[in-house]
Amino acid sequence: MTDPILPRIRPAIAALAPYRQGKQAGPDAFKLSSNENPFDPLPSVVEALQHTTPINRYPDASAGRLRARLGERYGVSPDEVHVAAGSVSILHQLILATASVGDEVVYAWRSFEAYPSLPLVAGATGVQVPLTAEFRHDLSAMADAVTERTRAVILCTPNNPTGPIITSAEFAEFIARVPSDVLVILDEAYAEFVTAPDAIDGLAERVFETHPNVVVLRTFSKAYGLAGLRVGYAIGNEKVLDAARTTGIPLSVTSAAENAAIASLDAEAELLERVAVIVERRTRLVEGLRAQGWDVPDSQANFVWLPTGAQTEAAASVFVENDLVVRPFPGDGIRISVGEEPSVDRVLSVAAALR
C-alpha cells in the first residue's frame, strides 16, 4: 500500500517540534512537571462554575465582565485589557500582529518552550540570546541583538524554566535602548510568587503607560489555579491590543473560565495565602538543594531549576522511578514544580542521591 499524497506543509513548520506538555503522573506519583497549583479550587470558585452560561450558548467574545473588572483593578479602561485562552495565546496573537517574513523576534534562551514556535508560525525568524551563567536574562546582549528587522522582544520574568527575575533597574536600562516602535512583551506569568523587592512589576510600575510599546502579560493558570480553564490577560496600549484581538480566534474564552477568573479575584486574599505556602515550600527546596551542593538559581516562581547538563535525562529517570514526574530539558537541566507538601522531602531525598 502506497502512502497517501498529503497537503504540502511549510518546511519550517514541518521541522518544528510540537509543544511538549509536562508528562502526566500516575495515581501514586507527584506531578511536578507543569508548574500547576497543587491546591484544589476554592469552594467559591467551584460555586461560580456551577452558574456558568449554558453550554449551548456562545460566551461573550470579548470577556467583557472580566475585562471591566481587571480594568477597574489596574486603573485602565476595558479596552486596555485583553483576555484570551491563556497568556500564551496572547503571545501568539501579538507575534502574528507584529512579525512576518523577513522580521525578527528576540527572546532569551533557555526560556519558555513555546517561544521558538511563535516567530516561525508567523513566518519570522527567532533570535535566541543565551542566558547568563546565573541563568538570568542577558539584557545587554538582548538589546545588542535588536536590529532594524526586530519587531518584538519577549522578556520572561521570572524566567521559565530557570526562575530568576528581571529587576526594575535592569528593565529601565533595557527599555531605554529599544526603539519605541519595537514591541516589548513582558511575560509575568509567575508574578504572584515573586518576593524579591527589586523585581520589575510591570503593572504596579505601569510601564505600559510610560512605554506604549510594552505589553504586560499575566495569567490565572498558576497562582490562581485555573490552568485547566485557560484564561490569561494583557494590559497595554489599546491600539496594540486591538491588533492582538484581530489575530485571535473568536470566542476562545469560555463563560466558565470568565466566571472562575472573576470569582478568583473576589477570593484573592484566600488564594494569596496559598501562594505564601508555595513560596515557603520553594524556599525550603532551594535551600535544601543548595545545601546538597546543587547550583540552584534564585527562583522567584513556583518551581526550581536543577542544572543537570548532560546527565539530565538520566537524572529525570531517577525522579520518575521515585514517583516524582519532573520536566527534563535534555542537555540543560530539570525543572521541578513546587507541589504538595510530602513531595518536598522526596525531591530533596532523590536529589541528594544524585549528587
Side-chain angles (χ1 to χ4, degrees):
M1 182 177 178
T2 60
D3 292 334
I5 298 175
L6 299 176
R8 285 175 286 185
I9 306 297
R10 287 169 47 198
I13 299 300
L16 182 66
Y19 175 77
R20 186 167 58 90
Q21 185 181 14
K23 183 179 178 181
Q24 300 298 311
D28 298 323
F30 292 107
K31 185 188 177 189
L32 309 178
S33 56
S34 296
N35 299 343
E36 297 156 328
N37 193 314
F39 291 101
D40 291 332
L42 290 172
S44 59
V45 175
V46 174
E47 183 180 358
L49 288 172
Q50 295 172 349
H51 297 87
T52 60
T53 300
I55 60 174
N56 63 312
R57 303 295 183 187
Y58 285 115
D60 175 1
S62 70
R65 290 187 303 120
L66 179 55
R67 288 171 57 218
R69 178 64 181 275
L70 290 168
E72 179 182 344
R73 173 190 175 99
Y74 293 114
V76 299
S77 74
D79 289 333
E80 294 172 293
V81 183
H82 176 42
V83 174
S87 57
V88 68
S89 293
I90 303 175
L91 272 165
H92 181 69
Q93 294 163 11
L94 288 169
I95 298 304
L96 283 176
T98 56
S100 186
V101 177
D103 300 329
E104 295 178 346
V105 177
V106 176
Y107 55 91
W109 196 253
R110 174 171 295 274
S111 194
F112 181 35
E113 195 173 4
Y115 290 165
S117 69
L118 300 174
L120 278 174
V121 170
T125 300
V127 177
Q128 297 183 351
V129 179
L131 298 175
T132 69
E134 293 76 34
F135 307 101
R136 306 180 72 243
H137 278 51
D138 188 339
L139 290 179
S140 178
M142 292 184 74
D144 290 340
V146 173
T147 71
E148 61 182 15
R149 295 175 60 188
T150 306
R151 296 295 177 267
V153 179
I154 308 173
L155 305 178
C156 186
T157 177
N159 185 52
N160 174 18
T162 60
I165 50 94
I166 294 170
T167 69
S168 294
E170 290 169 338
F171 179 80
E173 183 177 346
F174 171 80
I175 200 67
R177 295 184 56 191
V178 176
S180 58
D181 61 353
V182 172
L183 174 67
V184 175
I185 304 170
L186 194 57
D187 187 352
E188 298 185 336
Y190 300 92
E192 292 83 3
F193 300 101
V194 174
T195 57
D198 58 345
I200 180 68
D201 183 331
L203 297 184
E205 298 177 41
R206 306 186 74 82
V207 296
F208 51 88
E209 289 182 342
T210 52
H211 303 283
N213 60 320
V214 176
V215 171
V216 181
L217 302 188
R218 295 285 179 92
T219 183
F220 286 94
S221 295
K222 311 303 182 184
Y224 291 91
L226 302 183
L229 289 176
R230 309 306 303 128
V231 57
Y233 62 97
I235 306 289
N237 181 274
E238 176 183 347
K239 291 183 178 179
V240 176
L241 296 185
D242 279 345
R245 287 185 268 264
T246 299
T247 61
I249 297 174
L251 303 164
S252 62
V253 178
T254 66
S255 297
E258 183 179 21
N259 286 344
I262 292 171
S264 295
L265 292 172
D266 290 337
E268 188 170 43
E270 291 179 86
L271 286 165
L272 291 181
E273 289 177 1
R274 294 178 167 191
V275 167
V277 172
I278 293 171
V279 168
E280 189 276 332
R281 291 175 187 169
R282 176 191 77 197
T283 301
R284 275 190 283 139
L285 276 171
V286 170
E287 291 177 350
L289 291 167
R290 286 177 175 171
Q292 295 172 5
W294 290 99
D295 182 19
V296 178
D298 181 21
S299 176
Q300 290 288 306
N302 67 336
F303 54 80
V304 297
W305 175 253
L306 284 186
T308 44
Q311 303 304 314
T312 292
E313 291 175 284
S317 297
V318 176
F319 279 104
V320 172
E321 290 168 3
N322 286 272
D323 291 328
L324 295 167
V325 180
V326 296
R327 184 64 178 272
F329 296 87
D332 288 335
I334 296 172
R335 189 190 66 198
I336 305 173
S337 304
V338 179
E340 295 82 354
E341 174 61 28
S343 71
V344 175
D345 285 340
R346 191 180 299 183
V347 167
L348 291 174
S349 176
V350 174
L354 290 171
R355 291 301 294 168

